[in-house]
Amino acid sequence: MGSSKTFDVTAIDVEKVEEGYRKTYEKLDEMLPTLAQGENWLADGVQVVQYQGFWLPKFIVQGIMLIHDHFNPRPTDIILSTFPKCGTTWLRALIFAIINRKNYYDFQNHPLLSSNPQDLVPFFEMLIHEGGSTSSIESLPSPRFLATHIPFPLIPKSMTSSSSGRFVYICREPKDVFVSMWHFMNKLRAKELAPLSLEEAFDFFCRGVTFAGSYWDHVLGFWEASLESPNKVLFLKYEDMKRDPSVYVRKLAEFLDLPFSAEEEDEGMVEKIVKLCSFESLSNLDVNKNGNNTPGKGKHPGTNSDFFRKGQIGDWRNHLTPQMVEVLDKITKEKFQGTELSFDLVSY
Ligand code: A3P
């Protein structure tokens, strides 16, 4: 008697869940054709659409909608939020190393020595889009550590409310973001296509037509959220971290309620983590030099080495014309006007 009751309840839940997903997909079918379309840097046939003010591949909008309708946030969730090319790979590695430091105390067999950071930290919206449901993320044990490019205004309130998890955001000087993105997209572009010219990419970037663009609106969303809820959103800059990574590793650990103990400090744990996750260490590992980042499992396409180029501040100087610099600096100044947010545009 008891077991048949349990079975009935489960059956009703499954039906309810299926009905919920059906409704989400119906909404998507109705909405997606109505959205404005933009250019695709990869020219791979994937449609880029403008959704609630941001440019995104259609399949990512699907992932976002599934998250809105079905994802159950937990108070222990740690969400790494970035605009692409701002240091996602680095922060994936650093946060992974911080939160798992008790498990890999001697650093000898550390997972970061044999796995690309993308393999260790799920790409939230991509994984959900690929699975067609939120179940793969729901089945992860707590605390879940996820990476996302979803702009702050598109994240469901259930995730941003005070009772849910924490966000770490990293941004970067816009000219370096653009140059990094241009190189990256040309690596991912099909070899039979002509490379995307710097000029064409520049036009897309300035108009905000990039994955999760515009860049400036993406940054502003998290900047404002960090001012409103500093205990919930940690706002970092790539350049600050490059100059003094140890300071920010401590800051990250404190923000995540995992401060380094006096004993760990004495043992040089912070410096060990900084070294393990540095551009020089990670980019020289066999897995990151020669490993294939096969599509699927919520990962980016391409090879692992695509995520390690120069890792420097100011590479834009080697690529941009004075006119391009002027245009990008002007957009940055205008977009961030009236906020305390700035990049040291001259000294970079
Ligand atoms: P460059 O193209 O300027 O070299 P993302 O991980 O968000 O895709 O960002 C990629 C950028 O971060 C690339 O910048 C890459 O070289 C740089 N990067 C990757 N790993 C890094 C690390 N451990 N430390 C600093 N920068 C890193």
Side-chain angles (χ1 to χ4, degrees):
M1 196 55 196
S3 66
S4 81
K5 197 175 172 197
T6 308
F7 176 78
D8 286 342
V9 171
T10 311
I12 290 165
D13 283 349
V14 169
E15 267 173 35
K16 255 195 195 163
V17 169
E18 280 177 359
E19 171 67 4
Y21 276 102
R22 201 177 50 74
K23 281 191 179 149
T24 306
Y25 282 104
E26 276 173 11
K27 260 195 289 184
L28 275 161
D29 284 348
E30 222 171 89
M31 182 200 59
L32 286 174
T34 68
L35 301 177
Q37 284 194 29
E39 293 88 347
N40 175 338
W41 291 49
L42 297 180
D44 60 359
V46 170
Q47 279 180 3
V48 173
V49 292
Q50 194 175 36
Y51 178 60
Q52 299 189 9
F54 289 90
W55 291 101
L56 293 152
K58 235 178 187 180
F59 62 85
I60 292 293
V61 176
Q62 180 187 333
I64 292 175
M65 192 79 104
L66 289 169
I67 290 167
H68 265 265
D69 289 0
H70 305 283
F71 179 66
N72 295 308
R74 297 177 198 159
T76 49
D77 287 339
I78 300 167
I79 316 283
L80 168 62
S81 296
T82 60
F83 184 87
K85 314 328 291 171
C86 288
T88 324
T89 310
W90 189 17
L91 263 288
R92 270 179 149 122
L94 284 173
I95 296 173
F96 181 90
I98 291 169
I99 63 184
N100 290 295
R101 65 187 191 264
K102 301 265 188 277
N103 301 336
Y104 308 106
Y105 213 70
D106 64 0
F107 283 73
Q108 291 297 315
N109 297 309
H110 201 286
L112 281 164
L113 296 172
S114 53
S115 301
N116 179 267
Q118 284 199 71
D119 292 325
L120 300 172
V121 186
F123 182 3
F124 188 35
E125 59 274 26
M126 187 79 99
L127 194 59
I128 286 177
H129 146 74
E130 284 178 356
S133 85
T134 58
S135 60
S136 53
I137 301 275
E138 301 296 2
S139 62
L140 294 174
S142 297
R144 295 180 296 195
F145 174 30
L146 310 166
T148 180
H149 293 316
I150 303 178
F152 192 81
L154 271 55
I155 295 173
K157 293 279 172 291
S158 57
M159 288 178 72
T160 58
S161 73
S162 55
S163 58
S164 60
R166 269 169 272 210
F167 292 84
V168 174
Y169 186 73
I170 184 162
C171 65
R172 189 178 185 187
E173 202 283 322
K175 300 192 287 298
D176 276 341
V177 176
F178 165 63
V179 167
S180 182
M181 179 166 287
W182 175 63
H183 279 286
F184 182 72
M185 290 298 175
N186 271 328
K187 278 186 191 153
L188 298 193
R189 224 166 131 98
K191 297 292 164 266
E192 57 274 18
L193 293 175
L196 181 68
S197 72
L198 186 72
E199 291 70 23
E200 206 177 345
F202 186 77
D203 173 56
F204 296 166
F205 191 83
C206 290
R207 287 193 285 115
V209 186
T210 53
F211 191 116
S214 87
Y215 174 63
W216 298 274
D217 292 338
H218 200 283
V219 175
L220 277 171
F222 281 93
W223 170 250
E224 282 157 15
S226 72
L227 294 181
E228 208 167 291
S229 315
N231 296 330
K232 184 146 184 89
V233 181
L234 178 66
F235 188 95
L236 302 169
K237 288 183 186 162
Y238 181 91
E239 292 75 19
D240 295 342
M241 291 197 57
K242 277 293 280 189
R243 289 193 188 106
D244 204 344
S246 303
V247 166
Y248 290 92
V249 165
R250 288 193 184 90
K251 211 177 252 244
L252 274 164
E254 273 158 31
F255 177 74
L256 299 172
D257 279 342
L258 296 166
F260 291 95
S261 65
E263 200 187 14
E264 285 177 318
E265 286 285 359
D266 288 346
E267 283 170 4
M269 178 64 86
V270 174
E271 289 70 25
K272 282 182 197 165
I273 290 177
V274 167
K275 188 162 176 241
L276 172 73
C277 302
S278 69
F279 180 85
E280 291 67 29
S281 306
L282 291 184
S283 62
N284 281 309
L285 292 169
D286 184 51
V287 63
N288 294 327
K289 276 207 287 204
N290 305 311
N292 258 338
N293 183 11
T294 45
K297 294 189 191 156
K299 296 189 288 181
H300 290 274
T303 62
N304 291 343
S305 62
D306 294 340
F307 291 87
F308 302 93
R309 194 180 64 91
K310 284 192 170 176
Q312 290 171 3
I313 298 173
D315 186 43
W316 59 265
R317 290 183 192 285
N318 299 315
H319 298 279
L320 304 187
T321 63
Q323 289 77 12
M324 286 172 164
V325 171
E326 198 180 317
V327 170
L328 275 183
D329 283 354
K330 187 163 174 271
I331 298 176
T332 303
K333 271 188 198 137
E334 283 172 5
K335 282 280 191 181
F336 295 164
Q337 202 169 24
T339 72
E340 297 285 308
L341 181 57
S342 66
F343 292 97
D344 187 358
L345 299 174
V346 180
S347 65
Y348 293 149

